[in-house]
Amino acid sequence: MTMTPTRLAALLATSAALIAAPLSAQEKPPAKPPAAAMDHSKMDHSKMDHGAAKAEGWKELDAYHMLMMATWHPAKDKNDLAPIRAKATEMVASAKLVAASKSPMACQKPELIKAQADLPTATEKVAAMVAAKAADAELKAALKGLHDSFDVLEGCAGAGMKH
């Protein structure tokens, strides 16, 4: 079969019409549920976009983020404080690595540099509560505060993953 200019034009027109055609209700992907309705414990956070920190390779913050997810979500969702009690010392070490690391250019703003520098102290406070066998309610409140502080760094590019 020879492709004539007329045949090529017809083929391109048909292809363009198919690409531009709207999806029917049956073909549309399902709507994403609101964040509050999502089961974050079953999400694979390792494949999610972490904004500039991930794009520029801030591996220290990524490692701390994994620890934060492993401790904060069980505490928030199930009142399970065993993970923070088990990982508090590891989180302190990871926070120190974040503070000592070079942040991506997108994170070189005064409030983010301060949050980076303050992360070990904030994490050490939670770890001290764990060591002192603080009551669950107090520990959960402190962990929430640490998570909120961490959120400043996590979204350093404005497009970071929120959970």
Side-chain angles (χ1 to χ4, degrees), residues 69-95:
M69 286 186 316
T71 57
W72 170 239
H73 288 291
K76 178 182 71 118
D77 299 337
K78 302 174 195 150
N79 270 341
D80 180 6
L81 293 159
I84 186 58
R85 292 189 187 278
K87 296 179 184 288
T89 303
E90 187 179 353
M91 284 185 75
V92 169
S94 184

Side-chain angles (χ1 to χ4, degrees), residues 13 43 52 55-56 75 90 94 102 115 132 147:
M43 294 174 78
E56 293 186 39
E90 187 179 353
S94 184
K102 180 163 177 48
H147 180 268

Side-chain angles (χ1 to χ4, degrees), residues 130-154:
V130 168
K133 298 189 185 331
D136 285 357
E138 292 174 25
L139 182 57
K140 184 177 178 181
L143 185 57
K144 182 191 182 320
L146 178 59
H147 180 268
D148 292 348
S149 297
F150 168 72
D151 269 347
V152 172
L153 279 174
E154 182 184 36

Side-chain angles (χ1 to χ4, degrees), residues 46-121:
S46 66
K47 293 184 171 92
M48 298 179 96
D49 177 19
H50 292 90
K54 185 72 170 177
E56 293 186 39
W58 197 358
K59 67 181 190 287
E60 296 85 1
L61 187 64
D62 289 342
Y64 187 89
H65 181 211
M66 297 310 285
L67 288 166
M68 178 59 74
M69 286 186 316
T71 57
W72 170 239
H73 288 291
K76 178 182 71 118
D77 299 337
K78 302 174 195 150
N79 270 341
D80 180 6
L81 293 159
I84 186 58
R85 292 189 187 278
K87 296 179 184 288
T89 303
E90 187 179 353
M91 284 185 75
V92 169
S94 184
K96 288 177 181 179
L97 292 174
V98 171
S101 68
K102 180 163 177 48
S103 62
M105 288 304 295
C107 302
Q108 298 285 323
K109 298 174 185 152
E111 68 275 10
L112 298 172
I113 292 169
K114 180 176 179 353
Q116 180 182 0
D118 292 346
L119 190 62
T121 303

